[in-house]
Amino acid sequence: MTVKDIAGYYKALAVEVGADLAGKDVRTVLERKLGVSRSLLSRLKLTEYGITINGVRAYTTAKVTEGDLVAIRMEEEISEDILPQDLPLSIVFEDDYLLVVNKPAGIIVHPTKGHYTNTLANGIVHHWQVNGERVRFRPVHRLDEDTSGLVVIAKNPYIHQQLSEQLQAGTIMKMYCAYVYGAPSPAEGTVEAPIDRDPEDPHVRIVTPEGYPSVTHYKTTDVYGEGQAARVRLKLETGRTHQIRVHMKHIGCPLIGDGMYGPQSGKVDKWESAAGRQALHAETLGLTHPMTKEWMEWTAALPPDLEKLELALREC
């Protein structure tokens, strides 16, 4: 038996019932075989072709027999609140389920109040519109405006759920490159310091005992001058807002070019101007593809502004 495509729906996700699940209900089959969340199941139940057994609409409580084909279909969606814009995009990977893009510094991921255009979302929505795809913009994670590098976007609710669970479980690999003042001591280690909002400024994050658990692993790869600056590779175990910037400041090595968390004194003007922004780049992203179950990994080369900074650092 084959699963038919239905107009207005994304490609169906199907599972054939084996002897181990015969007599179970549809909910159990979908949770065990596809890992479908309860919230997504609730949405699927509302549509005519959301959940089917052998092509016939079914309830999640329906019992299945061996050989049944249970399928889910999600309705196509678009981001009606995001204005499509023809913006330059650096697409690293794309298939029917997800998109990985190399975001430049100086652009935010998603429109915010008072900032409705010239975001990554505007450009991607336009890209999908041109290609005739009806897809809603669903970023799995975000980068600060002035951080460059890799971002993954899910192309339907199921993929977003699966990747979000990987993110929460810490199985999505996110590696960053940063240029900092000073040289971390020890040269390699882990920063475990809880982070929360600064009570005096909600836009700023601080290390505080009352904060949320936050873990950053780091390794110094280059030291410039007599420890005046360093290049550091970082791996996030948690994903708090501004985590790398806050943790590097916490160990006495704030990022070069960071206007919010940079040093109060002792800045080197030529380094600051070379970077032009916080010297942070999301260089490597790895994840398990929710459909193929294969591990996939991408790397984004250092952007020109940080290459310029590195040249300046090598001169010290």
Side-chain angles (χ1 to χ4, degrees), residues 83-231:
L83 177 70
Q85 277 185 282
D86 186 5
L87 301 174
L89 293 175
S90 177
I91 294 175
V92 178
F93 174 84
E94 184 172 21
D95 63 9
D96 290 335
Y97 306 103
L98 56 90
L99 178 150
V100 178
V101 62
N102 184 9
K103 185 189 84 68
I107 183 172
I108 62 174
V109 171
H110 199 284
T112 58
K113 186 176 181 180
H115 197 151
Y116 302 110
T117 59
N118 299 314
T119 73
L120 189 65
N122 297 113
I124 289 175
V125 167
H126 176 269
H127 162 72
W128 286 331
Q129 184 182 72
V130 169
N131 290 339
E133 294 187 73
R134 292 181 60 81
V135 180
R136 181 179 171 185
F137 184 75
R138 288 184 172 87
V140 178
H141 61 110
R142 304 189 186 195
L143 295 177
D144 295 338
E145 178 178 357
D146 288 326
T147 298
S148 55
L150 298 169
V151 179
V152 60
I153 294 98
K155 296 176 73 170
N156 68 49
Y158 174 75
I159 299 299
H160 189 268
Q161 174 221 315
Q162 293 293 304
L163 292 179
S164 295
E165 288 178 1
Q166 289 186 38
L167 190 68
Q168 289 296 317
T171 56
I172 287 183
M173 182 183 72
K174 295 189 292 179
M175 298 290 295
Y176 293 76
C177 168
Y179 294 88
V180 302
Y181 284 102
S185 181
E188 182 176 355
T190 297
V191 184
E192 295 188 58
I195 293 174
D196 205 349
R197 294 179 186 271
D198 185 338
E200 297 181 2
D201 186 345
H203 299 293
V204 176
R205 300 303 192 270
I206 59 172
V207 168
T208 171
E210 293 76 31
Y212 297 95
S214 307
V215 181
T216 304
H217 306 284
Y218 72 87
K219 181 178 182 179
T220 306
T221 58
D222 294 279
V223 176
Y224 307 102
E226 297 180 358
Q228 295 171 272
R231 175 173 174 163

Side-chain angles (χ1 to χ4, degrees), residues 52-67:
T52 61
I53 300 176
N54 302 326
V56 179
R57 186 175 184 178
Y59 293 106
T60 56
T61 54
K63 304 298 183 182
V64 298
T65 59
E66 185 175 358

Side-chain angles (χ1 to χ4, degrees), residues 276-306:
R277 46 97 171 193
Q278 65 224 21
L280 182 61
H281 177 63
E283 64 177 356
T284 304
L285 176 68
L287 54 83
T288 300
H289 195 293
M291 299 304 299
T292 67
K293 307 306 179 185
E294 294 180 359
W295 177 258
M296 304 188 76
E297 193 171 309
W298 304 273
T299 299
L302 204 64
D305 54 359
L306 296 188

Side-chain angles (χ1 to χ4, degrees), residues 249-287:
K249 176 184 178 180
H250 180 65
I251 65 171
C253 295
L255 269 61
I256 295 171
D258 193 337
M260 184 174 287
Y261 300 104
Q264 297 299 310
S265 61
K267 292 182 179 179
V268 179
D269 290 341
K270 65 178 180 179
W271 297 351
E272 295 284 320
S273 61
R277 46 97 171 193
Q278 65 224 21
L280 182 61
H281 177 63
E283 64 177 356
T284 304
L285 176 68
L287 54 83

